[in-house]
Amino acid sequence: MLRLHSRKGFGGSKTAFGTHLFLEGLNHIASYQDFQYSDDSLMTHIKILQEDYERLSVYSAEWKISQRRAAHRIFMNAYIIRFGADIHEL
């Protein structure tokens, strides 16, 4: 799904789309629902500024989880808000 959405307006770059969606979630969501997370080979990268990385680190510490898992949580919340996906579909 990420690849499909990235082709619609992000020039096919999963990194650009993932970064955009992550930042949308980081900057516009106040409460984050938790999601099942597995650290496997299916991932995408994001490119964020130092100040955004520091905000991610605060959430990671607050939730007592890895930064990767915290980024996943923020991203998934933004994805659901943006695309209206049912949590059970993910």
Side-chain angles (χ1 to χ4, degrees):
M1 293 304 294
L2 188 60
R3 183 172 286 128
L4 176 69
H5 291 303
S6 69
R7 290 184 179 154
K8 297 178 183 179
F10 287 88
S13 170
K14 289 189 309 180
T15 300
F17 178 69
T19 300
H20 174 79
L21 205 52
F22 171 80
L23 291 173
E24 233 176 56
L26 186 65
N27 294 319
H28 300 292
I29 298 175
S31 177
Y32 301 96
Q33 181 176 350
D34 198 7
F35 289 92
Q36 183 176 351
Y37 173 78
S38 62
D39 193 7
D40 58 23
S41 63
L42 291 175
M43 69 177 87
T44 190
H45 299 277
I46 59 173
K47 292 185 178 181
I48 57 177
L49 299 173
Q50 182 65 31
E51 60 211 34
D52 299 319
Y53 179 79
E54 289 169 8
R55 290 177 60 204
L56 172 62
S57 297
V58 169
Y59 281 117
S60 174
E62 179 182 321
W63 296 333
K64 296 178 176 63
I65 58 177
S66 70
Q67 290 175 335
R68 185 176 286 181
R69 184 171 180 176
H72 175 266
R73 186 173 181 175
I74 294 166
F75 176 88
M76 292 302 291
N77 278 273
Y79 186 93
I80 287 173
I81 289 171
R82 171 70 101 66
F83 296 106
D86 181 354
I87 184 172
H88 302 298
E89 294 175 5
L90 304 174

